[in-house]
Amino acid sequence: MADGLVIIPTFNEIENIEAIVKTVFDLKKDFHVLVVDDNSPDGTALNVQKLQEQFPKRLFLEVRKEKSGLGTAYIHGFKWALERDYEYIFEMDADFSHRPADLSRLHRACLDGADVAIGSRYKKGVNVVNWPLFRILLSYGASFYVKIITGMRVHDPTAGFICYHRKVLEGINLDAVRFIGYAFQIEMKYRAYLKGFKIQEVSIIFTDRVNGKSKMNSAIIREAIFGVIAMKFRSIFFKKNF
Protein backbone atom coordinates (compact mmCIF):
# COMPACT_ATOMS: atom_id res chain seq x y z
CA MET A 1 0.00 0.00 0.00
CA ALA A 2 1.22 3.53 -0.80
CA ASP A 3 2.20 5.59 2.24
CA GLY A 4 0.90 8.84 0.71
CA LEU A 5 -2.65 9.94 -0.05
CA VAL A 6 -3.36 13.04 -2.14
CA ILE A 7 -6.72 14.62 -1.31
CA ILE A 8 -8.25 16.67 -4.12
CA PRO A 9 -11.50 18.52 -3.31
CA THR A 10 -13.66 19.24 -6.35
CA PHE A 11 -16.67 21.24 -7.42
CA ASN A 12 -17.20 21.55 -11.17
CA GLU A 13 -13.69 20.45 -12.17
CA ILE A 14 -14.70 18.32 -15.16
CA GLU A 15 -12.13 20.14 -17.32
CA ASN A 16 -9.23 19.27 -15.02
CA ILE A 17 -9.91 16.16 -12.97
CA GLU A 18 -8.90 13.46 -15.45
CA ALA A 19 -5.64 15.18 -16.36
CA ILE A 20 -4.63 15.90 -12.76
CA VAL A 21 -5.33 12.34 -11.62
CA LYS A 22 -3.39 10.80 -14.49
CA THR A 23 -0.46 13.18 -13.94
CA VAL A 24 -0.23 12.17 -10.26
CA PHE A 25 -0.28 8.50 -11.20
CA ASP A 26 2.46 9.07 -13.78
CA LEU A 27 4.88 10.13 -11.04
CA LYS A 28 7.67 7.74 -10.04
CA LYS A 29 6.45 7.61 -6.44
CA ASP A 30 3.29 5.63 -5.84
CA PHE A 31 0.61 7.97 -4.51
CA HIS A 32 -3.04 7.19 -3.93
CA VAL A 33 -5.65 9.83 -4.71
CA LEU A 34 -8.91 10.62 -2.92
CA VAL A 35 -11.30 12.96 -4.72
CA VAL A 36 -13.85 14.61 -2.42
CA ASP A 37 -16.54 15.94 -4.71
CA ASP A 38 -19.38 18.21 -3.58
CA ASN A 39 -21.96 16.70 -5.94
CA SER A 40 -20.69 18.70 -8.92
CA PRO A 41 -23.48 19.29 -11.47
CA ASP A 42 -20.95 19.13 -14.32
CA GLY A 43 -20.34 15.39 -13.82
CA THR A 44 -16.92 15.54 -12.15
CA ALA A 45 -17.75 12.56 -9.92
CA LEU A 46 -18.98 10.47 -12.87
CA ASN A 47 -15.68 11.11 -14.62
CA VAL A 48 -13.80 9.95 -11.52
CA GLN A 49 -15.92 6.80 -11.35
CA LYS A 50 -14.88 5.95 -14.91
CA LEU A 51 -11.24 6.57 -14.03
CA GLN A 52 -11.53 4.19 -11.08
CA GLU A 53 -11.91 1.35 -13.57
CA GLN A 54 -8.50 2.29 -14.97
CA PHE A 55 -6.87 2.84 -11.55
CA PRO A 56 -8.45 0.35 -9.14
CA LYS A 57 -7.22 0.45 -5.53
CA ARG A 58 -5.35 3.70 -6.25
CA LEU A 59 -8.15 6.18 -6.98
CA PHE A 60 -10.93 6.74 -4.46
CA LEU A 61 -14.03 8.91 -4.49
CA GLU A 62 -16.20 10.41 -1.78
CA VAL A 63 -19.27 12.32 -2.98
CA ARG A 64 -20.97 14.71 -0.57
CA LYS A 65 -24.56 15.89 -0.86
CA GLU A 66 -23.84 19.54 -1.65
CA LYS A 67 -21.20 22.25 -1.85
CA SER A 68 -20.13 22.69 1.77
CA GLY A 69 -16.80 24.48 1.61
CA LEU A 70 -13.14 23.66 1.07
CA GLY A 71 -12.41 23.18 4.74
CA THR A 72 -15.11 20.61 5.39
CA ALA A 73 -14.09 18.74 2.24
CA TYR A 74 -10.53 18.41 3.54
CA ILE A 75 -11.72 17.43 7.03
CA HIS A 76 -13.82 14.70 5.38
CA GLY A 77 -10.73 13.54 3.50
CA PHE A 78 -8.49 13.68 6.58
CA LYS A 79 -10.85 11.48 8.55
CA TRP A 80 -11.08 9.04 5.63
CA ALA A 81 -7.27 8.86 5.50
CA LEU A 82 -6.89 8.36 9.26
CA GLU A 83 -9.23 5.37 9.10
CA ARG A 84 -6.60 3.78 6.86
CA ASP A 85 -2.83 3.34 7.08
CA TYR A 86 -1.54 6.40 5.21
CA GLU A 87 1.47 8.03 6.83
CA TYR A 88 1.51 11.19 4.71
CA ILE A 89 -1.62 13.07 3.71
CA PHE A 90 -1.46 15.76 1.03
CA GLU A 91 -3.69 18.67 0.04
CA MET A 92 -3.67 19.66 -3.63
CA ASP A 93 -5.94 21.64 -5.97
CA ALA A 94 -7.45 20.04 -9.05
CA ASP A 95 -6.64 22.90 -11.43
CA PHE A 96 -2.85 22.44 -11.89
CA SER A 97 -2.05 25.58 -9.90
CA HIS A 98 0.01 23.11 -7.87
CA ARG A 99 2.44 21.05 -9.93
CA PRO A 100 2.00 17.34 -9.18
CA ALA A 101 5.75 16.85 -9.59
CA ASP A 102 6.24 18.90 -6.41
CA LEU A 103 4.39 16.29 -4.35
CA SER A 104 7.63 14.34 -4.13
CA ARG A 105 9.45 17.42 -2.80
CA LEU A 106 6.88 17.88 -0.04
CA HIS A 107 7.09 14.19 0.77
CA ARG A 108 10.88 14.40 0.97
CA ALA A 109 10.66 17.34 3.38
CA CYS A 110 8.52 15.24 5.72
CA LEU A 111 10.83 12.25 5.37
CA ASP A 112 13.68 14.56 6.38
CA GLY A 113 11.96 15.64 9.59
CA ALA A 114 9.18 18.11 8.88
CA ASP A 115 5.76 17.39 10.37
CA VAL A 116 4.06 19.82 7.99
CA ALA A 117 5.57 20.65 4.59
CA ILE A 118 4.06 23.67 2.84
CA GLY A 119 4.35 24.35 -0.87
CA SER A 120 5.18 28.03 -0.46
CA ARG A 121 4.62 30.77 -3.05
CA TYR A 122 6.47 33.36 -0.97
CA LYS A 123 9.47 31.65 0.62
CA LYS A 124 11.75 33.03 -2.10
CA GLY A 125 10.15 36.22 -3.34
CA VAL A 126 6.81 35.96 -5.15
CA ASN A 127 6.58 32.81 -7.27
CA VAL A 128 3.15 33.28 -8.82
CA VAL A 129 2.36 33.03 -12.53
CA ASN A 130 -0.65 34.56 -14.34
CA TRP A 131 -2.23 36.28 -11.35
CA PRO A 132 -3.35 39.91 -11.73
CA LEU A 133 -1.55 42.40 -9.51
CA PHE A 134 -4.51 42.93 -7.16
CA ARG A 135 -4.71 39.17 -6.48
CA ILE A 136 -1.00 39.02 -5.67
CA LEU A 137 -1.29 42.01 -3.35
CA LEU A 138 -4.34 40.49 -1.65
CA SER A 139 -2.63 37.15 -1.08
CA TYR A 140 0.74 38.57 -0.05
CA GLY A 141 -0.93 41.13 2.19
CA ALA A 142 -3.01 38.40 3.82
CA SER A 143 0.16 36.43 4.55
CA PHE A 144 1.75 39.43 6.26
CA TYR A 145 -1.46 40.07 8.22
CA VAL A 146 -1.59 36.47 9.45
CA LYS A 147 2.04 36.64 10.58
CA ILE A 148 1.29 39.72 12.67
CA ILE A 149 -1.86 38.32 14.27
CA THR A 150 -0.73 34.74 14.94
CA GLY A 151 3.02 35.09 15.44
CA MET A 152 3.67 32.23 13.01
CA ARG A 153 6.83 32.68 10.98
CA VAL A 154 5.27 31.12 7.90
CA HIS A 155 5.68 33.04 4.65
CA ASP A 156 2.62 31.51 2.98
CA PRO A 157 0.02 30.67 5.66
CA THR A 158 -2.86 30.57 3.15
CA ALA A 159 -1.12 27.96 0.96
CA GLY A 160 -3.21 24.97 -0.02
CA PHE A 161 -0.46 22.63 -1.22
CA ILE A 162 0.62 20.72 1.87
CA CYS A 163 1.92 17.42 3.21
CA TYR A 164 0.87 16.47 6.73
CA HIS A 165 2.50 13.70 8.68
CA ARG A 166 -0.22 11.47 10.06
CA LYS A 167 0.59 12.39 13.66
CA VAL A 168 -0.29 16.04 12.98
CA LEU A 169 -3.85 15.22 11.91
CA GLU A 170 -4.14 12.80 14.81
CA GLY A 171 -2.99 15.54 17.19
CA ILE A 172 -5.48 18.18 16.00
CA ASN A 173 -9.14 18.12 17.01
CA LEU A 174 -10.53 18.12 13.48
CA ASP A 175 -14.08 18.55 14.75
CA ALA A 176 -13.09 21.86 16.36
CA VAL A 177 -11.82 23.41 13.11
CA ARG A 178 -14.24 26.23 12.29
CA PHE A 179 -13.21 27.80 9.01
CA ILE A 180 -14.61 26.42 5.76
CA GLY A 181 -13.05 28.73 3.14
CA TYR A 182 -9.42 29.53 2.44
CA ALA A 183 -9.02 30.61 6.07
CA PHE A 184 -9.19 26.89 6.81
CA GLN A 185 -5.61 26.69 5.57
CA ILE A 186 -4.55 29.32 8.11
CA GLU A 187 -6.35 27.59 10.96
CA MET A 188 -4.81 24.19 10.25
CA LYS A 189 -1.29 25.64 10.21
CA TYR A 190 -1.95 27.65 13.35
CA ARG A 191 -3.24 24.61 15.23
CA ALA A 192 -0.18 22.64 14.15
CA TYR A 193 2.04 25.56 15.21
CA LEU A 194 0.44 25.73 18.68
CA LYS A 195 0.92 21.97 19.08
CA GLY A 196 4.64 22.41 18.49
CA PHE A 197 4.84 20.49 15.21
CA LYS A 198 7.74 21.31 12.90
CA ILE A 199 6.55 23.35 9.92
CA GLN A 200 8.78 23.68 6.87
CA GLU A 201 8.19 25.62 3.67
CA VAL A 202 9.26 24.28 0.28
CA SER A 203 9.47 26.91 -2.45
CA ILE A 204 7.18 26.20 -5.41
CA ILE A 205 5.93 28.01 -8.50
CA PHE A 206 2.17 28.62 -8.35
CA THR A 207 0.39 28.97 -11.70
CA ASP A 208 -3.17 30.29 -11.91
CA ARG A 209 -5.74 27.91 -13.34
CA VAL A 210 -6.28 27.80 -17.12
CA ASN A 211 -9.53 25.83 -17.14
CA GLY A 212 -12.56 26.25 -14.89
CA LYS A 213 -13.50 29.06 -12.52
CA SER A 214 -11.91 30.21 -9.27
CA LYS A 215 -13.97 29.60 -6.10
CA MET A 216 -12.74 32.84 -4.46
CA ASN A 217 -15.49 35.23 -3.36
CA SER A 218 -16.08 38.11 -0.94
CA ALA A 219 -17.40 35.84 1.84
CA ILE A 220 -14.15 33.86 1.79
CA ILE A 221 -12.14 37.09 2.01
CA ARG A 222 -14.22 38.34 4.96
CA GLU A 223 -13.76 35.02 6.75
CA ALA A 224 -10.01 35.30 6.38
CA ILE A 225 -9.81 38.93 7.54
CA PHE A 226 -12.10 38.86 10.56
CA GLY A 227 -11.87 35.16 11.34
CA VAL A 228 -8.13 35.24 12.01
CA ILE A 229 -8.61 37.74 14.83
CA ALA A 230 -11.42 35.62 16.30
CA MET A 231 -9.25 32.50 15.97
CA LYS A 232 -6.39 34.19 17.84
CA PHE A 233 -8.82 35.29 20.56
CA ARG A 234 -10.19 31.76 20.99
CA SER A 235 -6.70 30.27 21.16
CA ILE A 236 -5.81 32.58 24.05
CA PHE A 237 -8.99 32.59 26.12
CA PHE A 238 -10.43 29.18 25.30
CA LYS A 239 -7.28 27.06 25.08
CA LYS A 240 -8.90 23.87 26.32
CA ASN A 241 -11.59 23.95 23.63
CA PHE A 242 -9.43 25.26 20.81
Side-chain angles (χ1 to χ4, degrees), residues 46-100:
L46 292 176
N47 197 330
V48 175
Q49 288 174 354
K50 293 178 181 178
L51 286 170
Q52 284 182 300
E53 298 175 5
Q54 187 175 349
F55 302 105
K57 299 182 180 180
R58 296 184 69 192
L59 176 60
F60 305 93
L61 172 67
E62 290 282 291
V63 180
R64 305 196 300 167
K65 292 182 179 180
E66 59 187 5
K67 187 178 180 182
S68 302
L70 179 76
T72 60
Y74 273 125
I75 294 295
H76 185 103
F78 292 160
K79 291 181 177 180
W80 189 95
L82 292 176
E83 290 173 356
R84 292 153 179 86
D85 295 327
Y86 298 104
E87 197 72 15
Y88 303 97
I89 296 94
F90 298 77
E91 295 183 11
M92 189 175 75
D93 291 346
D95 60 8
F96 282 95
S97 55
H98 305 138
R99 297 188 304 181

Coordinates of all heavy atoms in Angstrom, one line a residue, residues 46-100:
L46 N -18.8 11.5 -11.9 CA -19.0 10.5 -12.9 C -17.7 10.2 -13.6 O -17.4 9.0 -13.9 CB -20.1 10.9 -13.8 CG -21.5 10.9 -13.2 CD1 -22.5 11.4 -14.3 CD2 -21.9 9.6 -12.7
N47 N -17.0 11.3 -13.9 CA -15.7 11.1 -14.6 C -14.7 10.3 -13.7 O -14.0 9.5 -14.2 CB -15.1 12.5 -15.0 CG -14.0 12.4 -16.0 OD1 -13.3 11.5 -16.1 ND2 -13.9 13.5 -16.8
V48 N -14.7 10.7 -12.4 CA -13.8 10.0 -11.5 C -14.2 8.5 -11.4 O -13.3 7.6 -11.4 CB -13.8 10.6 -10.1 CG1 -13.0 9.8 -9.1 CG2 -13.3 12.0 -10.2
Q49 N -15.5 8.2 -11.4 CA -15.9 6.8 -11.3 C -15.4 6.0 -12.6 O -15.0 4.8 -12.4 CB -17.4 6.8 -11.3 CG -18.0 7.2 -9.9 CD -19.5 7.3 -9.9 OE1 -20.2 7.1 -11.0 NE2 -20.1 7.5 -8.8
K50 N -15.4 6.6 -13.7 CA -14.9 5.9 -14.9 C -13.4 5.7 -14.8 O -12.9 4.7 -15.2 CB -15.2 6.8 -16.2 CG -16.7 6.9 -16.5 CD -16.9 7.7 -17.7 CE -18.4 7.9 -18.0 NZ -18.6 8.8 -19.2
L51 N -12.7 6.7 -14.2 CA -11.2 6.6 -14.0 C -10.9 5.5 -13.0 O -9.8 4.9 -13.1 CB -10.7 7.9 -13.6 CG -10.5 9.0 -14.6 CD1 -10.2 10.3 -13.9 CD2 -9.5 8.7 -15.6
Q52 N -11.8 5.2 -12.1 CA -11.5 4.2 -11.1 C -11.4 2.8 -11.7 O -10.7 1.9 -11.2 CB -12.7 4.2 -10.0 CG -12.6 5.3 -9.0 CD -13.7 5.3 -8.0 OE1 -14.9 5.3 -8.3 NE2 -13.3 5.1 -6.7
E53 N -12.0 2.6 -12.9 CA -11.9 1.3 -13.6 C -10.5 1.2 -14.1 O -10.0 0.1 -14.2 CB -12.9 1.3 -14.7 CG -14.4 1.4 -14.3 CD -15.3 1.4 -15.4 OE1 -14.9 1.3 -16.6 OE2 -16.6 1.6 -15.2
Q54 N -9.9 2.3 -14.4 CA -8.5 2.3 -15.0 C -7.5 2.2 -13.8 O -6.4 1.7 -14.0 CB -8.3 3.6 -15.8 CG -7.0 3.6 -16.6 CD -6.9 4.8 -17.5 OE1 -7.9 5.5 -17.7 NE2 -5.7 5.1 -18.0
F55 N -7.8 2.8 -12.7 CA -6.9 2.8 -11.6 C -7.5 2.2 -10.3 O -7.7 2.9 -9.3 CB -6.5 4.3 -11.3 CG -5.8 5.0 -12.5 CD1 -6.5 5.9 -13.2 CD2 -4.5 4.7 -12.9 CE1 -5.9 6.5 -14.3 CE2 -3.9 5.3 -13.9 CZ -4.6 6.2 -14.7
P56 N -7.8 1.0 -10.3 CA -8.5 0.3 -9.1 C -7.5 0.3 -8.0 O -6.3 0.1 -8.2 CB -8.8 -1.1 -9.6 CG -7.8 -1.3 -10.7 CD -7.6 0.0 -11.4
K57 N -8.0 0.5 -6.8 CA -7.2 0.5 -5.5 C -6.2 1.6 -5.4 O -5.3 1.6 -4.5 CB -6.6 -0.9 -5.4 CG -7.5 -2.1 -5.3 CD -6.8 -3.4 -5.0 CE -7.8 -4.5 -5.0 NZ -7.2 -5.9 -4.7
R58 N -6.2 2.5 -6.3 CA -5.3 3.7 -6.3 C -6.2 5.0 -6.2 O -5.7 6.0 -5.6 CB -4.4 3.8 -7.4 CG -3.4 2.6 -7.5 CD -2.4 2.8 -8.7 NE -1.5 3.9 -8.4 CZ -0.7 4.4 -9.3 NH1 -0.8 4.0 -10.6 NH2 0.1 5.4 -9.0
L59 N -7.3 5.0 -6.9 CA -8.2 6.2 -7.0 C -9.4 5.9 -6.2 O -10.1 5.0 -6.4 CB -8.5 6.5 -8.5 CG -9.4 7.7 -8.7 CD1 -8.9 9.0 -8.1 CD2 -9.7 7.8 -10.2
F60 N -9.8 6.9 -5.3 CA -10.9 6.7 -4.5 C -11.8 8.0 -4.6 O -11.3 9.1 -4.9 CB -10.5 6.5 -3.0 CG -9.6 5.3 -2.8 CD1 -8.2 5.5 -2.8 CD2 -10.1 4.0 -2.7 CE1 -7.3 4.4 -2.7 CE2 -9.2 3.0 -2.6 CZ -7.9 3.2 -2.6
L61 N -13.1 7.8 -4.3 CA -14.0 8.9 -4.5 C -15.0 9.0 -3.3 O -15.6 7.9 -2.9 CB -14.8 8.7 -5.8 CG -16.0 9.7 -6.1 CD1 -15.5 11.1 -6.2 CD2 -16.8 9.2 -7.3
E62 N -15.2 10.1 -2.8 CA -16.2 10.4 -1.8 C -17.1 11.5 -2.3 O -16.5 12.6 -2.6 CB -15.6 10.8 -0.4 CG -14.9 9.7 0.3 CD -15.8 8.8 1.0 OE1 -16.5 9.2 2.0 OE2 -15.9 7.6 0.5
V63 N -18.4 11.3 -2.5 CA -19.3 12.3 -3.0 C -20.2 12.8 -1.8 O -20.9 12.0 -1.2 CB -20.2 11.8 -4.1 CG1 -21.1 12.9 -4.6 CG2 -19.3 11.2 -5.3
R64 N -20.1 14.1 -1.6 CA -21.0 14.7 -0.6 C -22.3 15.3 -1.2 O -22.4 15.4 -2.4 CB -20.2 15.8 0.1 CG -18.9 15.3 0.7 CD -18.3 16.2 1.7 NE -18.0 17.6 1.2 CZ -17.7 18.6 2.0 NH1 -17.7 18.4 3.3 NH2 -17.5 19.8 1.5
K65 N -23.2 15.5 -0.4 CA -24.6 15.9 -0.9 C -24.6 17.2 -1.6 O -25.4 17.4 -2.5 CB -25.6 15.9 0.3 CG -25.8 14.5 0.9 CD -26.9 14.6 2.0 CE -27.2 13.2 2.5 NZ -28.2 13.2 3.6
E66 N -23.8 18.2 -1.1 CA -23.8 19.5 -1.6 C -22.5 20.3 -1.4 O -21.6 19.8 -0.7 CB -25.0 20.3 -1.0 CG -24.8 20.4 0.5 CD -26.0 21.1 1.2 OE1 -27.0 21.3 0.5 OE2 -25.9 21.3 2.4
K67 N -22.4 21.4 -2.0 CA -21.2 22.3 -1.9 C -21.2 22.8 -0.4 O -22.0 23.6 0.0 CB -21.2 23.4 -2.8 CG -19.9 24.2 -2.9 CD -20.0 25.3 -3.9 CE -18.7 26.1 -3.9 NZ -18.7 27.2 -4.9
S68 N -20.2 22.4 0.3 CA -20.1 22.7 1.8 C -18.8 23.4 2.2 O -18.6 23.5 3.4 CB -20.3 21.4 2.6 OG -21.6 20.8 2.3
G69 N -18.0 23.8 1.3 CA -16.8 24.5 1.6 C -15.5 23.6 1.5 O -15.5 22.4 1.8
L70 N -14.4 24.3 1.2 CA -13.1 23.7 1.1 C -12.7 23.0 2.4 O -12.2 21.9 2.4 CB -12.1 24.7 0.6 CG -10.7 24.2 0.5 CD1 -10.5 23.4 -0.8 CD2 -9.7 25.4 0.5
G71 N -12.9 23.7 3.5 CA -12.4 23.2 4.7 C -13.1 21.9 5.1 O -12.4 20.9 5.5
T72 N -14.4 21.8 5.0 CA -15.1 20.6 5.4 C -14.8 19.5 4.4 O -14.8 18.3 4.8 CB -16.6 20.9 5.4 OG1 -17.1 21.3 4.1 CG2 -17.0 21.9 6.5
A73 N -14.5 19.8 3.2 CA -14.1 18.7 2.2 C -12.8 18.1 2.7 O -12.6 16.9 2.7 CB -14.0 19.3 0.8
Y74 N -11.8 18.9 3.1 CA -10.5 18.4 3.5 C -10.7 17.6 4.9 O -10.0 16.6 5.0 CB -9.5 19.5 3.7 CG -8.8 19.8 2.4 CD1 -8.7 21.1 1.9 CD2 -8.1 18.8 1.7 CE1 -8.0 21.4 0.7 CE2 -7.4 19.0 0.5 CZ -7.4 20.3 0.0 OH -6.7 20.6 -1.1
I75 N -11.5 18.1 5.8 CA -11.7 17.4 7.0 C -12.3 16.0 6.7 O -11.9 15.0 7.3 CB -12.7 18.2 8.0 CG1 -12.0 19.5 8.4 CG2 -13.1 17.4 9.2 CD1 -10.8 19.3 9.3
H76 N -13.2 16.0 5.8 CA -13.8 14.7 5.4 C -12.7 13.8 4.9 O -12.6 12.6 5.2 CB -14.9 14.9 4.3 CG -15.6 13.7 3.9 ND1 -16.9 13.4 4.3 CD2 -15.2 12.7 3.1 CE1 -17.3 12.3 3.7 NE2 -16.3 11.8 3.0
G77 N -11.8 14.3 4.0 CA -10.7 13.5 3.5 C -9.7 13.1 4.6 O -9.2 12.0 4.5
F78 N -9.4 14.0 5.5 CA -8.5 13.7 6.6 C -9.0 12.5 7.4 O -8.3 11.6 7.7 CB -8.3 14.9 7.5 CG -7.6 16.0 6.9 CD1 -7.7 17.3 7.5 CD2 -6.8 15.9 5.8 CE1 -7.0 18.4 6.9 CE2 -6.1 17.0 5.2 CZ -6.2 18.2 5.8
K79 N -10.3 12.6 7.7 CA -10.8 11.5 8.6 C -10.8 10.2 7.8 O -10.6 9.1 8.3 CB -12.3 11.8 9.0 CG -12.3 13.0 10.0 CD -13.7 13.3 10.4 CE -13.8 14.4 11.5 NZ -15.2 14.7 11.9
W80 N -11.1 10.2 6.5 CA -11.1 9.0 5.6 C -9.7 8.5 5.6 O -9.5 7.2 5.8 CB -11.5 9.4 4.2 CG -11.7 8.3 3.3 CD1 -12.9 7.7 3.0 CD2 -10.7 7.6 2.4 NE1 -12.7 6.7 2.0 CE2 -11.4 6.7 1.7 CE3 -9.4 7.8 2.3 CZ2 -10.7 5.8 0.8 CZ3 -8.7 7.0 1.4 CH2 -9.4 6.0 0.6
A81 N -8.7 9.3 5.5 CA -7.3 8.9 5.5 C -6.9 8.2 6.8 O -6.1 7.2 6.9 CB -6.3 10.0 5.2
L82 N -7.3 8.8 7.9 CA -6.9 8.4 9.3 C -7.5 7.0 9.6 O -7.0 6.3 10.5 CB -7.2 9.4 10.3 CG -6.4 10.7 10.3 CD1 -6.9 11.7 11.3 CD2 -4.9 10.4 10.5
E83 N -8.6 6.7 8.9 CA -9.2 5.4 9.1 C -8.4 4.3 8.4 O -8.7 3.1 8.5 CB -10.7 5.4 8.6 CG -11.6 6.2 9.4 CD -13.0 6.4 8.8 OE1 -13.2 5.9 7.6 OE2 -13.9 7.0 9.4
R84 N -7.5 4.7 7.6 CA -6.6 3.8 6.9 C -5.2 4.0 7.3 O -4.9 4.6 8.3 CB -6.8 4.0 5.4 CG -8.3 3.5 5.0 CD -8.8 4.2 3.7 NE -10.1 3.7 3.4 CZ -11.3 4.2 4.0 NH1 -11.2 5.2 4.9 NH2 -12.4 3.7 3.6
D85 N -4.2 3.4 6.6 CA -2.8 3.3 7.1 C -1.9 4.4 6.4 O -0.7 4.2 6.5 CB -2.3 1.9 6.9 CG -3.0 0.9 7.7 OD1 -3.4 1.3 8.8 OD2 -3.1 -0.3 7.3
Y86 N -2.4 5.4 5.9 CA -1.5 6.4 5.2 C -0.7 7.2 6.2 O -1.2 7.6 7.3 CB -2.4 7.4 4.4 CG -3.1 6.7 3.3 CD1 -4.5 6.5 3.4 CD2 -2.5 6.3 2.1 CE1 -5.2 5.8 2.4 CE2 -3.2 5.6 1.1 CZ -4.5 5.4 1.2 OH -5.2 4.8 0.2
E87 N 0.6 7.3 5.9 CA 1.5 8.0 6.8 C 1.6 9.5 6.5 O 1.8 10.4 7.3 CB 2.9 7.4 6.8 CG 3.8 7.7 7.9 CD 3.4 7.1 9.2 OE1 2.5 6.1 9.2 OE2 3.8 7.5 10.3
Y88 N 1.4 9.8 5.2 CA 1.5 11.2 4.7 C 0.3 11.6 3.9 O -0.1 10.9 3.0 CB 2.8 11.4 3.8 CG 4.0 11.0 4.6 CD1 4.6 9.7 4.4 CD2 4.6 11.8 5.5 CE1 5.7 9.3 5.1 CE2 5.8 11.4 6.2 CZ 6.3 10.2 6.0 OH 7.4 9.8 6.7
I89 N -0.4 12.7 4.3 CA -1.6 13.1 3.7 C -1.4 14.4 3.1 O -1.0 15.4 3.8 CB -2.8 13.1 4.8 CG1 -3.0 11.7 5.3 CG2 -4.0 13.7 4.1 CD1 -2.3 11.4 6.6
F90 N -1.7 14.6 1.8 CA -1.5 15.8 1.0 C -2.8 16.5 0.7 O -3.8 15.9 0.4 CB -0.8 15.4 -0.3 CG 0.6 14.7 -0.1 CD1 0.7 13.4 0.2 CD2 1.8 15.5 -0.3 CE1 1.9 12.8 0.4 CE2 3.0 14.8 -0.2 CZ 3.1 13.5 0.2
E91 N -2.6 17.8 0.6 CA -3.7 18.7 0.0 C -3.2 19.2 -1.3 O -2.0 19.6 -1.4 CB -4.0 19.9 0.9 CG -4.5 19.6 2.3 CD -4.8 20.9 3.0 OE1 -4.8 22.0 2.4 OE2 -5.1 20.9 4.2
M92 N -4.1 19.1 -2.3 CA -3.7 19.7 -3.6 C -4.9 20.1 -4.4 O -5.9 19.4 -4.4 CB -2.9 18.6 -4.4 CG -2.3 19.2 -5.7 SD -1.2 18.0 -6.6 CE -2.4 17.0 -7.3
D93 N -4.8 21.2 -5.1 CA -5.9 21.6 -6.0 C -6.0 20.8 -7.2 O -5.0 20.2 -7.7 CB -5.8 23.1 -6.3 CG -5.9 24.1 -5.2 OD1 -6.4 23.6 -4.1 OD2 -5.5 25.2 -5.3
A94 N -7.2 20.8 -7.8 CA -7.5 20.0 -9.0 C -7.0 20.8 -10.3 O -7.0 20.2 -11.4 CB -8.9 19.7 -9.1
D95 N -6.7 22.1 -10.2 CA -6.6 22.9 -11.4 C -5.2 23.1 -12.0 O -5.0 24.0 -12.8 CB -7.3 24.3 -11.1 CG -6.6 25.0 -10.0 OD1 -5.6 24.5 -9.5 OD2 -7.1 26.0 -9.6
F96 N -4.3 22.3 -11.5 CA -2.9 22.4 -11.9 C -2.2 23.7 -11.4 O -1.1 24.0 -11.9 CB -2.7 22.3 -13.4 CG -2.8 20.9 -13.9 CD1 -4.0 20.4 -14.4 CD2 -1.7 20.0 -13.9 CE1 -4.1 19.1 -14.8 CE2 -1.8 18.7 -14.3 CZ -3.0 18.2 -14.8
S97 N -2.8 24.5 -10.5 CA -2.1 25.6 -9.9 C -0.9 25.1 -9.0 O 0.1 25.7 -8.8 CB -3.0 26.5 -9.1 OG -3.7 25.7 -8.1
H98 N -1.1 23.8 -8.6 CA 0.0 23.1 -7.9 C 0.6 22.0 -8.8 O -0.2 21.2 -9.3 CB -0.5 22.4 -6.6 CG -1.2 23.4 -5.7 ND1 -2.4 23.1 -5.0 CD2 -0.9 24.6 -5.3 CE1 -2.7 24.1 -4.2 NE2 -1.8 25.0 -4.4
R99 N 1.8 22.0 -9.0 CA 2.4 21.1 -9.9 C 2.5 19.7 -9.2 O 3.2 19.6 -8.2 CB 3.8 21.5 -10.4 CG 3.9 22.8 -11.2 CD 5.2 23.1 -11.7 NE 6.3 23.1 -10.7 CZ 7.5 23.3 -10.9 NH1 7.9 23.6 -12.2 NH2 8.4 23.3 -9.9
P100 N 1.9 18.7 -9.8 CA 2.0 17.3 -9.2 C 3.4 16.9 -8.9 O 3.7 16.2 -7.9 CB 1.3 16.4 -10.2 CG 0.3 17.4 -10.8 CD 1.0 18.7 -11.0

